[in-house]
Amino acid sequence: MLILYLLRSGLWRSLDGEKLRFFFGLTHGLYLSRNHPLWRAIPWAAALLSPHRAREVFAWLEYRVELFDGKAG
């Protein structure tokens, strides 16, 4: 379900290498994301199977992308 929301909204297209490295914790050692990467905060089983939980996770991911781009915050 989560993948469907990402593809349908176009959020997938706004991802770039820097955002993906930040999401997976592959950043410089001083970043908090290196010790606590964002991918750990997602309940993956629920996000992939439950429509309600997928919408919640999608909204959170959308906010994080906008925050990273400087559009929110």
Side-chain angles (χ1 to χ4, degrees), residues 5-63:
Y5 285 120
L6 289 172
L7 291 174
R8 197 169 19 167
S9 71
L11 186 63
W12 187 260
R13 284 178 272 150
S14 70
L15 299 178
D16 57 11
E18 188 177 10
K19 290 176 194 160
L20 289 175
R21 284 191 302 273
F22 192 79
F23 181 77
F24 289 112
L26 304 172
T27 56
H28 187 268
L30 297 178
Y31 284 113
L32 183 62
S33 69
R34 182 152 175 96
N35 297 326
H36 304 286
L38 295 176
W39 69 268
R40 286 193 199 167
I42 296 174
W44 287 102
L48 294 174
L49 300 174
S50 166
H52 176 69
R53 184 60 109 177
R55 278 192 299 273
E56 290 175 348
V57 170
F58 171 74
W60 179 75
L61 286 172
E62 186 176 38
Y63 169 73

